[in-house]
Amino acid sequence: MNVNGRIDPPGDRDIFRFTARAGGRIVAEVYARRLDSPLDSVLKLTDAQGLQLASTTITKTRERDCTRISPILC
């Protein structure tokens, strides 16, 4: 599955919902830096009830800061 988001206006959030299988692999990529965007991006993975499973922040000074809350992402 491929999804595209757009930050407009500033502070905007894009939320995507998908179905995954237990034990499956999820790969999420942000292309902002490769496109010379100054975007500091945050990705959060939650379950159907909204419980956060994993998150990562990508900034200009830090390639990736990944918090593994469950051993399914990062």
Side-chain angles (χ1 to χ4, degrees), residues 4 9-10 12 19-20 22 24 26 28-29 31 33 36-37 43-45 47 49-50 53 57 62 64-65 70:
N4 294 299
D12 179 37
T19 302
I26 298 169
E29 289 187 74
Y31 282 88
R33 291 285 176 246
D36 293 323
S37 169
L43 296 175
K44 293 182 182 180
L45 178 66
D47 66 11
Q49 288 73 41
L53 303 174
T57 302
R62 185 182 297 178
R64 184 171 79 163
D65 179 18
S70 178

Side-chain angles (χ1 to χ4, degrees), residues 16-53:
F16 303 98
R17 181 178 293 226
F18 59 92
T19 302
R21 281 193 247 169
R25 182 176 174 170
I26 298 169
V27 177
E29 289 187 74
V30 176
Y31 282 88
R33 291 285 176 246
R34 287 177 251 180
L35 300 173
D36 293 323
S37 169
L39 177 72
D40 290 338
S41 45
V42 177
L43 296 175
K44 293 182 182 180
L45 178 66
T46 63
D47 66 11
Q49 288 73 41
L51 176 67
Q52 185 171 305
L53 303 174

